[in-house]
Amino acid sequence: FVDKAHTPQPGSLGTIDNPFTQLDDAFAATDPGDIVRIVGNGGADGLLSTLEDNLAYEIGRGNLGPLADGVTARLPQGVTVMVDAGAIFKLRQTAIQVGSSSVAIDRSGSALQILGTPVASVIFTSYNDEAIGVDTNPVSTTPGPGDWGGLLFDTGLDRAEGRFDHEQQGIFLDYVNH
């Protein structure tokens, strides 16, 4: 589990009672077959509906270096990432990627499930967006087209290399809703 609003306690991280607080740490701790569950948080008031105080997962590069959750979000090999309703992602100069982008690094068999609901969407926006999520950027900014690269579902290289691909087996794990 990953929960941006949690204060880590001594002991094993990644459990529902003691989740990771940063995505890159959670991804680094995985093995093929694991599930990473990313939860939304209601911020200071505990309400998912008041977006301006909810903590966002921040991925990419800011003006002062890497953002809090890492420079990239490339799903690890064989890992399923489930994103709960209410989660906010703020990205800059990066994308969230499923599948391998290099022959040298095998990220096959990964899956991304965006589990938003009509009441609580999962939000993907620019790190420069000051209106959604707590603004951690010290510089006043305005979001613009091309601030981040999207959600990339790319199994072409994995298929060409003969690596495991869920869809080739008739298993459709990738899912994006609200």
Side-chain angles (χ1 to χ4, degrees), residues 29-173:
T30 62
D31 290 313
D34 285 348
I35 295 174
V36 174
R37 189 83 183 241
I38 301 170
V39 302
N41 67 77
D45 63 7
L47 301 173
L48 291 175
S49 59
T50 53
L51 300 177
E52 62 276 356
D53 74 334
N54 298 357
L55 298 175
Y57 299 95
E58 299 177 343
I59 307 163
R61 291 193 181 280
N63 296 331
L64 303 174
L67 297 180
D69 290 286
V71 174
T72 63
R74 295 182 180 136
L75 277 57
Q77 179 186 19
V79 173
T80 297
V81 175
M82 302 171 85
V83 181
D84 285 352
I88 299 172
F89 289 80
K90 294 177 103 170
L91 297 100
R92 184 166 186 266
Q93 299 177 349
T94 194
I96 296 177
Q97 183 179 359
V98 180
S100 301
S101 58
S102 164
V103 174
I105 301 172
D106 186 353
R107 291 191 178 91
S108 63
S110 58
L112 178 62
Q113 299 175 352
I114 307 301
L115 306 174
T117 70
V119 175
S121 295
V122 173
I123 297 173
F124 296 93
T125 190
S126 168
Y127 176 65
N128 295 328
D129 188 343
E130 296 177 354
I132 296 176
V134 172
D135 183 22
T136 62
N137 190 343
V139 178
S140 181
T141 56
T142 302
D147 282 350
W148 63 285
L151 304 177
L152 304 177
F153 297 88
D154 189 4
T155 58
L157 179 63
D158 293 324
R159 287 180 183 173
E161 290 295 310
R163 297 173 178 165
F164 180 79
D165 177 21
H166 287 103
E167 288 184 17
Q168 294 290 82
Q169 305 299 316
I171 303 167
F172 301 95
L173 288 180

Side-chain angles (χ1 to χ4, degrees), residues 6 17 20 25 43 46 54 76 89 131 138 146 157:
H6 179 72
D17 294 323
F20 287 100
D25 291 340
N54 298 357
F89 289 80
L157 179 63

